[in-house]
Amino acid sequence: MNELGRPARRIPGIGGGEINYRRRQFIRGKANELILKLWQLEKSRRGPALRFRELLPLQPKQIAIELLLLEYEELEEIGYLSIGPLRVTLAGLLDRDKSLIAVSARLSLEIKRFTAAHEIGHFVLHPEITSLREDPRTDTAIRAPLRSVKEKEADLFAAELLMPERFFNQVFANLWGDDDIDCDHLDDNHAYYLTQGELSPLEISKLSRLERAKLVARQIPMTTADALPMAEIFGVSPTAAGIQLLDSGRVR
Ligand SMILES: [Zn+2]
């Protein structure tokens, strides 16, 4: 479902379904190739000691232009998608013939970044798609279960591109330590850290899995004064970071 409560658009001829394990590994590998190329490129400019952390948040615009040799545009008006009587403002487009990716300039920075990374995902993973216009990669859209496999693949690619697993886990460990956060078994101190004293361990245990993960994504430990929350470090919404926290098993 999109934010209007209607089923999200599907690419014609492609039904719903899940991404199998081998395909997930393939998609992660493709995202990682680009990330390593970007790191090499920046090391050649800024010196071999450049840490990956200094590249965060990653810029899909730079990846599109410098690594994939695509045009990248931010447009005031991409157009509308008609769903029955409703019109949804389009958020992104891919035009393979023109080697162009465009995103709506009206989106928030986080959604713009995720939408651009999603279009890069289609460009890298789906050579048969020559042109595509789509609705925003909002929090609701990212979670929608009824989308086509290709849409889920592009979202997975975007998540891996913006929050590469290895570095995501490192940042998590720096903020929260080596242990995963088990929201069913928090003590009072942990609950206090996660919600600034607003929720008890029992109240947290009653939240949905994603809501728990979002708490972690947008919070910093009270013991780490100069840090940013994970969602801000990676430049994504708390929902996108929360999904990655669940996928990586760091939060349960
Ligand atoms: Zn898409």
Side-chain angles (χ1 to χ4, degrees), residues 118-119 122 132 134 137 150-151 154:
H118 174 103
E119 299 309 324
H122 283 309
L132 194 62
E134 52 197 330
R137 310 321 298 157
K150 290 195 181 186
E151 289 309 302

Side-chain angles (χ1 to χ4, degrees), residues 175-191:
L175 280 178
W176 299 104
D178 292 327
D179 293 334
D180 301 336
I181 297 177
D182 178 356
C183 291
D184 282 322
H185 300 97
L186 293 175
D187 60 27
D188 288 334
N189 281 337
H190 276 114

Side-chain angles (χ1 to χ4, degrees), residues 33-48 50 55:
E33 271 174 31
L34 281 177
I35 287 157
L36 291 177
K37 271 189 198 162
L38 179 71
W39 198 3
Q40 289 305 326
L41 179 69
E42 286 298 318
K43 278 181 179 174
S44 74
R45 289 171 175 161
R46 292 152 72 175
L50 179 74
L55 299 179

